[in-house]
Amino acid sequence: MYIIELSQQENEKLDVLLRMLMGKYSLPCEERFLLRVRAYAAQLPTRVLLSLSEFKYCENHNGTLVLRGFHIDDAGIGQTPAATSKEIDEGSARREGFLLMLLISQVGDAFGWSCQRDGALINNILPLRSHEKEQLSTGSMIDLDWHTEEAFHPFRADYLALMCLRNIEQIPTIIGSIQDIHLEQETKKLLFEPRYLFQMDKNFENEHLKSTLPQSVLFGDASAPYVKIDPSFMQAVPGDEPAREALRQITQEFNKSLYELVLRQGDVVFLDNYRVVHGRKAFPPRFDGTDRWLKRVNITSDLRKSRVLRQHHSSRMIVIT
Ligand SMILES: [Fe+2]
């Protein structure tokens, strides 16, 4: 895992850029800004630009990059919201939203799902009162089991970015990397074969994508595989014992390799969703405006691959009907 720590001088330079953007644009997800975001991002600190480029193009790391120490005005961002919606998610902590979109532009394009807060490109991750015991990013009282983000979906994110706005109780994010696990050759071979059924999240069911065909867990290069896995919502094809055992083994290996990352206010972590799994430890929510608050962006390297489910070429929302 690489950690780049921002200096005071770099923060001051960023502040000038963010002030200018906030004067010129109303929201960080508006189309006018997103069309120009890469040009503005050239003004990000050079160290930040280089680290993001290396993260994207060099896969000799474990798939996690932390940019640490962005200045965040705790009073300025306001209380941790008590609800989620496209308007709240994209409009809250506006300054930080602009920063997040500048950063992610160096890795790919932000996209949203119509079934997740109406396609919001920035999602607030915070505890919601009715979700305390749910396996959701808005849950709290139970562990969020580790997983590939939207493992079941062909258009899932290539990368995720999580910006920490508040984490007073130091609730850890759980991370595991395919690079850190060992698999026997025979196990690996089985996992490369289409012998697994991924359970599609009910919210995502779509007539074009009735995902009932078996798929592989590993894909890409056999010597440095990519992975899609969500043990709580998948299984080997019924009756396929060798495949079931291989899934058990990779799950066990990931369990052994997991580590905790406590995000601090002003951290932005990039996760390679093809090489890294993530989850979260349980925590008691307070619902008093000071709970853990992250902002998440789903990032794709290739917006075109989802064109069949986007209503317009310039839309960044994948429509699930
Ligand atoms: Fe997730």
Side-chain angles (χ1 to χ4, degrees):
M1 180 174 69
Y2 286 92
I3 301 181
I4 305 285
E5 190 124 16
L6 273 282
S7 69
Q8 177 70 22
Q9 200 185 10
E10 286 168 329
N11 265 299
E12 285 167 8
K13 198 176 146 192
L14 267 176
D15 199 46
V16 174
L17 174 60
L18 294 172
R19 274 174 204 273
M20 182 274 285
L21 294 176
M22 295 216 298
K24 214 171 162 81
Y25 300 96
S26 52
L27 286 171
C29 298
E30 70 177 74
E31 188 58 28
R32 212 165 54 94
F33 172 62
L34 294 181
L35 283 174
R36 296 171 173 84
V37 64
R38 284 197 182 87
Y40 290 123
Q43 296 176 55
L44 288 170
T46 307
R47 283 191 318 139
V48 169
L49 292 172
L50 291 176
S51 65
L52 287 168
S53 183
E54 275 179 35
F55 171 76
K56 180 179 170 80
Y57 293 109
C58 305
E59 294 183 355
N60 57 356
H61 51 77
N62 77 352
T64 302
L65 168 70
V66 180
L67 304 175
R68 172 154 287 168
F70 289 108
H71 283 176
I72 288 179
D73 172 5
D74 193 66
I77 59 173
Q79 294 200 332
T80 303
T84 57
S85 72
K86 183 175 164 72
E87 288 67 35
I88 296 172
D89 288 27
E90 293 185 345
S92 53
R94 197 166 71 97
R95 177 184 179 278
E96 287 64 31
F98 278 109
L99 172 59
L100 191 50
M101 298 315 263
L102 288 169
L103 294 170
I104 74 100
S105 74
Q106 298 305 292
V107 175
D109 289 300
F111 71 96
W113 303 94
S114 63
C115 56
Q116 280 183 351
R117 305 173 204 180
D118 297 323
L121 299 185
I122 298 176
N123 289 162
N124 279 337
I125 306 293
L126 37 78
L128 288 181
R129 217 175 254 286
S130 53
H131 291 178
E132 282 146 290
K133 295 194 174 154
E134 300 279 349
Q135 276 286 327
L136 294 169
S137 63
T138 45
S140 51
M141 299 290 274
I142 58 170
D143 288 353
L144 179 61
D145 297 338
W146 58 261
H147 58 278
T148 299
E149 196 77 347
E150 273 87 55
F152 55 87
H153 205 289
F155 304 150
R156 67 189 169 282
D158 290 82
Y159 309 99
L160 301 176
L162 298 172
M163 171 184 266
C164 180
L165 296 181
R166 184 169 286 136
N167 188 14
I168 296 167
E169 288 176 320
Q170 305 195 335
I171 296 142
T173 299
I174 307 299
I175 299 173
S177 170
I178 188 74
Q179 186 172 286
D180 298 336
I181 72 173
H182 173 74
L183 296 169
E184 299 296 337
Q185 269 318 107
E186 188 52 32
T187 304
K188 203 187 246 188
K189 191 167 160 290
L190 289 163
L191 293 166
F192 260 98
E193 293 172 0
R195 301 166 81 145
Y196 300 91
L197 298 171
F198 288 76
Q199 190 180 322
M200 188 168 278
D201 183 321
K202 280 194 179 52
N203 293 330
F204 283 78
E205 279 171 8
N206 174 288
E207 57 182 277
H208 299 294
L209 287 169
K210 292 227 185 314
S211 173
T212 50
L213 291 178
Q215 301 177 48
S216 70
V217 169
L218 300 179
F219 58 105
D221 178 18
S223 65
Y226 296 137
V227 63
K228 54 180 192 293
I229 185 167
D230 189 351
S232 303
F233 295 95
M234 65 182 291
Q235 59 171 7
V237 170
D240 188 342
E241 267 313 300
R244 195 181 68 82
E245 176 56 20
L247 180 59
R248 192 193 66 76
Q249 283 186 24
I250 190 174
T251 303
Q252 182 179 299
E253 287 300 310
F254 265 119
N255 279 332
K256 281 197 278 186
S257 80
L258 296 175
Y259 64 95
E260 296 187 354
L261 172 65
V262 176
L263 292 173
R264 309 174 188 170
Q265 187 175 58
D267 281 0
V268 181
V269 59
F270 281 81
L271 302 174
D272 184 341
N273 198 40
Y274 275 37
R275 301 175 61 231
V276 156
V277 296
H278 66 279
R280 186 226 343 105
K281 287 283 187 194
F283 66 96
R286 288 189 295 267
F287 302 124
D288 63 353
T290 66
D291 277 315
R292 179 177 182 262
W293 181 11
L294 311 182
K295 281 191 176 282
R296 176 189 63 201
V297 179
N298 288 308
I299 306 162
T300 180
S301 297
D302 179 10
L303 199 53
R304 284 182 163 179
K305 73 182 171 192
S306 61
R307 182 65 180 90
V308 66
L309 294 183
R310 288 181 296 112
Q311 289 183 328
H312 189 264
H313 67 263
S314 68
S315 165
R316 292 156 199 267
M317 178 172 75
I318 298 178
V319 178
I320 308 294
T321 49

